[in-house]
Amino acid sequence: MDNMQFLETLKQSFITYLHTGARSNKKLEILHGAISKDLQERLQDDKYSVYSLGYETGKEHKIIGRYIDKAVDITITENDKPVAGIAVKYVMSNYSQNSNNYFENMLGETANIRSAKIPYFQIFAIPDKIPYFDKDGGISKWEHINEHNLKKYIKLSNDNIENFLHTPNKTLVFIVHIQDMNTVATISSKQEYEQFYLHNDFGMAISALDFDFGNTIIYNDYDKFIQKVVYAIKSL
C-alpha cells in the first residue's frame, strides 16, 4: 500500500464513520485491516502473523505489558509470540477537547509495552480542518490544525527513544486535506456535515501543512513509516 492507497483507505474509513457513527468499529475495521494486510504482505514470511479488527480473525491480540496486558490495535507475532504493536488514532472531530487525553493515553500504553521490551509504533491521522460539535450536534467552530495543536508531537519527535520508553519507536503523523468545494463553511450541524460528504463527491489529499518534526516522527509518508516498522521487526 503506497501513500495514495493509504489516502484512499482513510477516505473510505471517513465515509464509513459518517454512515455508522463515532461509536461503531466499522471505520476501524477498514483502516486497521488495510494496514494489517499490507504489513503481512511486506513481512513475506509465514512465521509472522498480524492481528487486528478487519483482518483475518478480525480480532485484536493482547500484548503482555510490564504493568498491564493490553489489547493492541495491530499486533505482530513471530511464531505466535508478540514482537511489536501499532496504535492507530484517526481523529475526525473535536480534537482540542480530547487532544491531551489522546496523547497521555498513547504515552502510557507505549511505556507499558516498551518496558516489556516490545517495540511499539503509533499512527496519528487527522484532517487539517475538522468540525467541533457541541452537545446538541451543532458545529460551534472549525478547528484548523497548526503548530500549536501539534507542539507536543514536535517535542516528542526529538526524544531519544533509548532514554524515554514512553516515546514510540516511530510515529507516523499523517494530516489530510478534505476538499469541500467551498461550501462546507455554510454547514452548521453534524447532520448537515454527514449529509454533505455522503451525497457529494470529494477528494482527500495529503495536507500542504509543513512542520519541523525530529527523527522519531515520520510526517505524511505512510510508505516510509511502514518500511521502518517492517525493518524493525525483521531486525529483532
Side-chain angles (χ1 to χ4, degrees):
M1 184 163 61
D2 59 21
N3 286 333
M4 297 309 295
Q5 290 169 320
F6 184 60
L7 265 177
E8 181 60 28
T9 300
L10 290 173
K11 179 178 178 179
Q12 292 307 313
S13 180
F14 173 64
I15 291 171
T16 302
Y17 153 77
L18 297 175
H19 273 296
T20 62
R23 296 178 180 272
S24 171
N25 281 338
K26 295 297 183 183
K27 64 184 184 298
L28 304 180
E29 291 177 3
I30 291 173
L31 181 56
H32 297 188
I35 297 168
S36 297
K37 182 175 184 292
D38 187 31
L39 261 175
Q40 188 75 70
E41 291 173 352
R42 289 176 187 249
L43 286 165
Q44 295 182 330
D45 194 320
D46 290 343
K47 70 180 180 179
Y48 297 110
S49 297
V50 185
Y51 297 88
S52 77
L53 296 175
Y55 182 69
E56 295 290 348
T57 63
K59 295 180 180 179
E60 295 174 342
H61 195 290
K62 277 192 175 181
I63 293 180
I64 299 174
R66 179 171 177 81
Y67 306 104
I68 59 173
D69 299 347
K70 169 68 175 172
V72 174
D73 292 336
I74 299 172
T75 299
I76 302 92
T77 65
E78 181 179 353
N79 298 321
D80 297 324
K81 179 183 177 182
V83 293
I86 304 175
V88 184
K89 178 65 68 177
Y90 187 11
V91 180
M92 299 178 191
S93 68
N94 293 51
Y95 176 58
S96 61
Q97 175 184 334
N98 301 300
S99 64
N100 287 340
N101 284 339
Y102 294 148
F103 194 74
E104 289 167 4
N105 289 341
M106 181 270 290
L107 295 180
E109 66 186 54
T110 301
N112 177 48
I113 292 172
R114 288 199 61 215
S115 294
K117 303 187 185 308
I118 296 173
Y120 202 61
F121 303 87
Q122 163 91 352
I123 295 174
F124 175 70
I126 190 171
D128 55 15
K129 177 181 178 181
I130 57 174
Y132 190 97
F133 300 121
D134 61 31
K135 62 180 182 180
D136 298 319
I139 296 177
S140 60
K141 62 181 177 180
W142 291 92
E143 296 187 286
H144 296 265
I145 300 305
N146 54 39
E147 188 167 336
H148 174 74
N149 300 135
L150 298 177
K151 64 181 180 180
K152 45 188 171 284
Y153 286 93
I154 293 171
K155 189 166 187 176
L156 181 82
S157 74
N158 292 294
D159 280 353
N160 182 325
I161 65 169
E162 301 304 323
N163 295 337
F164 298 109
L165 293 179
H166 61 260
T167 302
N169 294 75
K170 285 290 181 188
T171 297
L172 173 65
V173 173
F174 205 90
I175 302 180
V176 300
H177 177 70
I178 303 174
Q179 297 170 353
D180 53 25
M181 297 180 289
N182 298 318
T183 62
V184 74
T186 65
I187 296 172
S188 61
S189 71
K190 186 175 184 179
Q191 184 176 16
E192 290 177 7
Y193 180 76
E194 293 171 350
Q195 292 304 308
F196 176 81
Y197 282 110
L198 288 174
H199 294 96
N200 291 281
D201 290 332
F202 67 93
M204 185 175 279
I206 294 175
S207 174
L209 294 175
D210 188 27
F211 300 100
D212 188 20
F213 288 115
N215 290 333
T216 70
I217 283 184
I218 295 171
Y219 180 50
N220 280 356
D221 194 336
Y222 167 82
D223 188 58
K224 181 179 179 181
F225 169 80
I226 215 73
Q227 286 180 31
K228 294 285 188 182
V229 174
V230 170
Y231 178 80
I233 293 169
K234 291 195 168 187
S235 298
L236 295 172

